[in-house]
């Protein structure tokens, strides 16, 4: 094989030499340019023409078509291949590189570009050199033919490639191709992405970058340099976490530390499966390009703007919150009013359904962390100031502690985000809505049923401010257990409770209520017995009921004449067939019970007359007897 | 030595009757007014001593005392109907014509319009008033008390108005009776200068001749006359 190829080479060399010789001879006769190039091509158009150099086979083929359509079609081969003697094989003893500068003395700044050591033909090719315009059209392909490393090669899949943005658009291209410095990136991207870029210019990232922090990210750190894509979750969040989870970059445990940010990974926002569009990524809260310092008062994560930021996704909830007392105070810049994160947390945000912090019993602690100090006092049913922390002594909280998950916690009555003041008529705890809130199904529906239609409920529905609803008797937060072992105290406090309103002259007159009901009760056997310490005797509720209190004129009232035998019969079985001939609370003795009035007046006269006489008689007797004794 | 002579005023049976009457009366007054004035200091003290069931105890004690009083009253009824001494007792207690003149004369005397002190027999108008007041009071208090005690039974018959009337009467009668005892009875037994510090007849059963002379001169004369008759025979 070797011998044969050597033979071939010799044969070819000899034939080349002969041809060259004839051409050189011919050249002496025909001194024309085209003929000269034609002469070269007469040999070099042979596709198999090649030579061996340093053990490598080099093709010496030149496509005449390419050459003739190239910008150098008007130039002679020897214009570039200096000192070539076509008659000799090889044409020159010392091969010299083609020096393009001999003609193209203006290099267009090539010597300053990154390609200064790259041969012209690497880009322009050797013989089929295209016009500059045509070259720039397909420049990216050209670049990628050399730049085959992994990152750069991804360019072809990038959004830029798809939108016909080429390498030259960033790297200047042509002879000026350059590397891009970190400090230049944002300005460069901003040529197209001016909005994002100017936002970035105001961001903390840019501020830190200007301050000389080499770790500060620019566009490419997040978006990638060549592989720029459009994809929400995978690129952005990973890009942020790449740096922000690094404990050496963000040490400590405070806000802003890597540990703090790491909580995001297990949060409801972070743990939703990758690719879910509903999940919030870093940029959704912090902004994308214009990430502010967390201390910046205009930052999207600052309390003032949280409603707007969280409301981007949770609009319905935020609308409710804005109407709430919390929301309104927040919007008035009240520094103590809670914002979203004060209850829900920041990076560690959890689903309220799954989080322990939002379990019925723990949510009370959350609310009380602000409300326990009693700075927002309420009045209880006795008119005494009541602390909201009284809830922890209430039956509701006790039941929760015992594991009754039906028992209400703060949000059950106040609403979670609605959290309106009771003064707002639309709130769940306004006077008119209170009974519906307490009486919702599964809670006190039975009591609500009884209360509905009562004289108290009618008053409330007619906007009578004096009429009581649930909390006026039971209290607001510290709703305590009825202690069955102290019936007397319970009875006494009940009488006191009813008396608060029913013995108020002002209130009874304003509402045209029977007067002196407390007094007459207190003087009755029932009242005397309670005062004396009987726990069994009747108090207000024994006769009037509690939730279903109705006036005696109502036929369904427990104290309607028709129903009295049954009502009194609960304690006095003999009363079942009794005719009630006079009022129980005889507030006007003369008219309500004339017999009692008559008898009591007769007795008073008798007592005054008879006892008066006795005193007089005895005084006289005593005087006489003492006088007699002194005489003797 | 005549002054050391003893005159029987109250027999043993009468003293027992009186003792039961006075104890049950005092208990009834105490426990009765304890209901009406629950915040009075003496009620609170008693309740404090007795403890948490003081109110229930009050009711029970009141009823027990009332039973004692009614029982004594019934025995007394039997006594005045069937006992010889009892028959004489009630006869002596019956109001007579001379009571009115005695009363008139006594008032004149006490007012200083007359120097003649009326002379009284076994029971003066003062004691007769006392006796019949107790009878009247016991009947009224007994009847209204029974109605209030058995309110379940009586409600049907007297209606709630009747209950109100019964409790009104019970209350005012209690005041009247208590004041009468304190003002009328206690004066003659304790403060009365003739017997001060106390007429001990309810304990001893006897009066001295001196006491007889002052309070019951006619009875003394009667018994002397009886004695002289006996000595004549």
């Amino acid at each position: 094989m070797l011998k044969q190829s050597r033979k071939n080479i010799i044969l070819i060399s000899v034939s080349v030499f002969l041809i060259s010789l004839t051409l050189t001879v011919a050249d002496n006769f025909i001194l024309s340019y085209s003929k000269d190039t034609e002469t070269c091509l007469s040999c070099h158009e042979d596709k198999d023409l090649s030579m061996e150099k340093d053990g490598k086979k080099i093709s010496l083929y030149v496509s005449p078509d390419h050459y003739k359509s190239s910008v150098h079609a008007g130039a002679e081969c020897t214009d570039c291949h200096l000192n070539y003697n076509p008659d000799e094989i090889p044409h020159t003893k010392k091969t010299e590189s083609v020096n393009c500068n001999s003609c193209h003395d203006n290099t267009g700044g090539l010597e300053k570009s990154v390609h200064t050591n790259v041969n012209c033909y690497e880009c322009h090719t050797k013989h089929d050199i295209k016009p500059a315009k045509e070259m720039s059209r397909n420049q990216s392909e050209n670049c990628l033919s050399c730049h085959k490393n992994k990152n750069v090669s991804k360019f072809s899949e990038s959004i830029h490639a798809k939108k016909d943005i080429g390498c030259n658009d960033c790297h200047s291209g042509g002879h000026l191709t350059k590397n891009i410095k970190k400090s230049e990136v944002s300005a460069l991207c901003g040529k197209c992405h001016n909005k994002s870029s100017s936002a970035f210019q105001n961001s903390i990232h840019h501020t830190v970058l200007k301050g000389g922090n080499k770790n500060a990210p620019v566009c490419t750190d997040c978006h990638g340099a060549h592989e720029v894509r459009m994809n929400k979750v995978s690129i952005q969040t990973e890009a942020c976490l790449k740096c922000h989870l690094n404990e050496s970059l963000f040490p400590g445990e405070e806000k802003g530390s890597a540990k703090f940010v790491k909580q995001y990974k297990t949060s409801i926002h972070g743990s939703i499966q990758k690719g879910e569009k509903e999940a919030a990524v870093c940029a959704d809260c912090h902004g994308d390009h214009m990430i502010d310092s967390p201390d910046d008062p205009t930052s999207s994560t600052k309390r003032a703007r949280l409603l707007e930021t969280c409301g981007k996704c949770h609009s319905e909830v935020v609308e409710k919150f804005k109407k709430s007392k919390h929301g309104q105070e927040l919007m008035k810049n009240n520094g103590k009013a809670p914002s979203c994160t004060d209850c829900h947390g920041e990076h560690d945000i959890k689903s309220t359904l799954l989080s322990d912090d939002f379990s019925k019993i723990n949510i009370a602690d959350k609310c009380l962390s602000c409300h326990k100090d009693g700075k927002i006092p309420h009045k209880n049913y006795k008119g005494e100031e009541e602390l909201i922390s009284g809830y922890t002594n209430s039956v509701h909280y006790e039941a929760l502690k015992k594991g009754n998950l039906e028992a209400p916690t703060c949000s059950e009555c106040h609403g979670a985000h609605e959290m309106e003041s009771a003064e707002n008529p639309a709130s769940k705890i306004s006077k008119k809505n209170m009974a519906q809130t307490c009486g919702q199904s599964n809670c006190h529906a039975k009591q609500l049923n009884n209360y509905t239609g009562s004289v108290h409920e009618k008053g409330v529905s007619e906007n009578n401010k004096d009429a009581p609803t649930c909390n006026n008797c039971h209290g607001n937060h510290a709703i305590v257990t009825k202690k069955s072992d102290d019936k007397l105290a319970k009875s006494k406090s009940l009488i006191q409770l009813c008396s608060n309103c029913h013995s108020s002259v002002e209130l009874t007159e304003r509402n045209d209520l029977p007067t002196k009901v407390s007094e007459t009760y207190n003087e009755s056997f029932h009242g005397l017995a309670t005062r004396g310490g009987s726990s069994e005797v009747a108090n207000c509720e024994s006769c009037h009921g509690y939730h279903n209190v109705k006036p005696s004129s109502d036929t369904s009232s427990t104290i309607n004449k028709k129903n009295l035998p049954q009502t009194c019969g609960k304690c006095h079985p003999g009363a079942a067939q009794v005719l009630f001939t006079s009022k129980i609370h005889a507030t006007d003795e003369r008219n309500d019970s004339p017999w009692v009035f008559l008898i009591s007046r007769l007795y008073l006269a008798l007592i005054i007359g008879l006892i008066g006489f006795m005193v007089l008689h005895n005084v006289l007797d005593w005087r006489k007897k003492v006088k007699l004794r002194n005489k003797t | 030595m005549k002054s050391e002579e003893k005159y029987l005023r109250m027999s043993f049976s009468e003293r027992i009757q009186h003792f039961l009457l006075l104890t049950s009366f005092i208990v009834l007054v105490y426990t009765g007014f304890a209901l009406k004035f629950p915040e009075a200091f003496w009620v609170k003290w008693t309740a404090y001593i007795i403890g948490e069931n003081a109110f229930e105890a009050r009711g029970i004690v009141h009823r027990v005392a009332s039973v004692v009083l009614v029982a004594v009253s019934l025995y007394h009824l039997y006594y005045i109907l069937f006992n010889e001494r009892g028959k004489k007792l009630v006869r002596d207690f019956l109001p007579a014509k001379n009571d009115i003149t005695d009363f008139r004369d006594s008032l004149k005397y006490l007012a200083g319009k007359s120097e003649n002190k009326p002379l009284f027999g076994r029971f003066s108008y003062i004691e007769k008033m006392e006796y019949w007041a107790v009878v009247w009071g016991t009947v009224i208090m007994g009847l209204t008390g029974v109605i209030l005690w058995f309110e379940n039974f009586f409600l049907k018959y007297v209606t709630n108005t009747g209950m109100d009337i019964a409790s009104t009467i019970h209350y005012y009668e209690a005041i009247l009776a208590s004041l009468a005892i304190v003002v009328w009875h206690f004066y003659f037994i304790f403060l009365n200068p003739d017997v001060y510090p106390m007429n001990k007849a309810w304990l001893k059963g006897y009066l001295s001749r001196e006491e007889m002379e002052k309070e019951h001169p006619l009875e003394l004369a009667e018994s002397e006359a009886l004695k002289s008759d006996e000595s004549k025979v």
Side-chain angles (χ1 to χ4, degrees), chain A residues 531 572 581 603 617-618 629, chain B residues 39 125 151 161 173 183 193:
Chain A
R531 283 158 68 194
H572 307 282
T581 47
Y603 257 109
H617 179 278
N618 292 351
R629 175 166 288 191
Chain B
E39 285 91 14
Y125 69 89
E151 95 283 358
T161 313
E173 183 61 34
V183 175

Side-chain angles (χ1 to χ4, degrees), chain A residues 523 525 527-536 571-575 577-584 586 593 595-596 599-601 603-604 606-607 610-611 613-615 617-626 628-629 631, chain B residues 35-39 52 55-56 58 103 106-107 109-112 114-115 117 125-126 129 136 140 151-153 155-156 158-162 164-165 168-169 172-173 175-176 179-180 183-184 187-188 191-194 214-215:
Chain A
E523 285 306 314
F525 175 77
L528 289 171
T530 304
R531 283 158 68 194
S534 168
S535 54
E536 300 296 329
C571 298
H572 307 282
Q577 310 135 37
V578 173
L579 259 170
F580 283 83
T581 47
S582 58
K583 276 176 81 171
I584 306 291
S593 49
W595 279 106
V596 170
I599 290 165
S600 62
R601 291 308 179 281
Y603 257 109
L604 279 175
L606 191 62
I607 288 164
L610 198 58
I611 304 299
F613 160 75
M614 286 171 173
V615 170
H617 179 278
N618 292 351
V619 167
L620 292 173
D621 184 76
W622 186 77
R623 200 183 61 173
K624 198 84 187 176
K625 281 174 177 167
V626 171
L628 274 176
R629 175 166 288 191
K631 268 183 191 171
Chain B
L35 169 65
K36 188 70 184 178
F37 305 104
E39 285 91 14
E52 59 175 290
F55 184 80
E56 281 69 31
R58 183 212 62 81
F103 179 59
S106 176
L107 287 181
Y109 169 73
L110 292 177
S114 158
E115 286 303 310
K117 186 184 173 187
Y125 69 89
I126 295 161
M129 258 175 78
W136 156 264
I140 293 289
E151 95 283 358
N152 259 332
F153 175 78
L155 256 172
K156 301 178 237 197
V158 302
T159 76
N160 67 320
T161 313
D164 288 346
I165 291 170
T168 307
I169 293 175
Y172 283 105
E173 183 61 34
I175 293 174
L176 182 61
L179 285 175
V183 175
W184 201 238
Y187 171 75
F188 287 105
L191 289 176
N192 181 0
D194 289 347
K214 276 182 179 162
E215 302 288 328

Side-chain angles (χ1 to χ4, degrees), chain A residues 382-568:
Chain A
K382 287 172 186 156
E384 295 160 351
E385 293 231 318
E386 179 213 70
L387 298 185
I388 296 172
S389 55
Y391 170 75
T392 51
N393 300 323
S394 72
V395 275
H396 289 150
Y397 193 69
E398 288 290 323
L400 274 180
K401 276 203 281 192
K402 282 178 190 156
N404 179 352
L405 294 177
E406 307 255 303
T409 187
C410 313
S411 57
E412 213 98 18
C413 299
H414 294 278
H417 298 104
E418 298 85 343
M419 207 53 75
E420 278 153 337
S421 152
E423 282 112 57
N424 183 346
S427 84
K428 273 178 144 181
I429 47 165
S430 72
K431 194 150 197 171
K432 269 195 170 176
N433 295 338
M434 172 74 75
Q436 292 299 331
T437 302
C438 299
Q440 55 192 278
S441 57
N442 293 339
C443 293
H444 303 287
K446 208 173 122 192
Q447 285 81 351
L448 173 64
N449 197 26
N450 281 333
Y451 176 73
T452 311
S454 76
V455 67
H456 291 152
E457 188 263 340
K458 275 184 188 162
V460 170
S461 67
E462 284 160 12
N463 287 326
N464 184 336
K465 282 183 183 170
D466 293 328
T469 184
C470 312
N471 68 320
N472 295 107
C473 295
H474 293 282
N476 301 311
H477 297 100
I479 296 169
V480 291
T481 331
K482 290 180 187 175
K483 279 182 187 145
S484 52
D485 56 331
D486 197 355
K487 279 170 89 177
L488 178 62
K490 191 190 134 197
S491 190
K492 280 187 170 175
S493 68
L494 181 88
I495 293 160
Q496 182 57 50
L497 170 63
C498 300
S499 299
N500 281 339
C501 294
H502 285 277
S503 64
S504 155
V505 176
E506 208 183 311
L507 193 144
T508 47
E509 274 180 5
R510 189 162 57 222
N511 296 291
D512 200 21
L513 295 173
T515 51
K516 288 190 194 168
V517 287
S518 306
E519 283 164 75
T520 48
Y521 170 79
N522 282 333
E523 285 306 314
S524 74
F525 175 77
H526 291 152
L528 289 171
T530 304
R531 283 158 68 194
S534 168
S535 54
E536 300 296 329
V537 86
N539 54 42
C540 314
E541 68 161 26
S542 317
C543 304
H544 296 276
Y546 26 100
H547 294 118
N548 59 340
V549 177
K550 287 172 185 169
S552 58
S553 53
D554 188 325
T555 49
S556 63
S557 165
T558 51
I559 53 160
N560 180 267
K561 221 169 185 179
K562 203 181 68 182
N563 300 325
L564 269 179
Q566 195 198 340
T567 303
C568 301

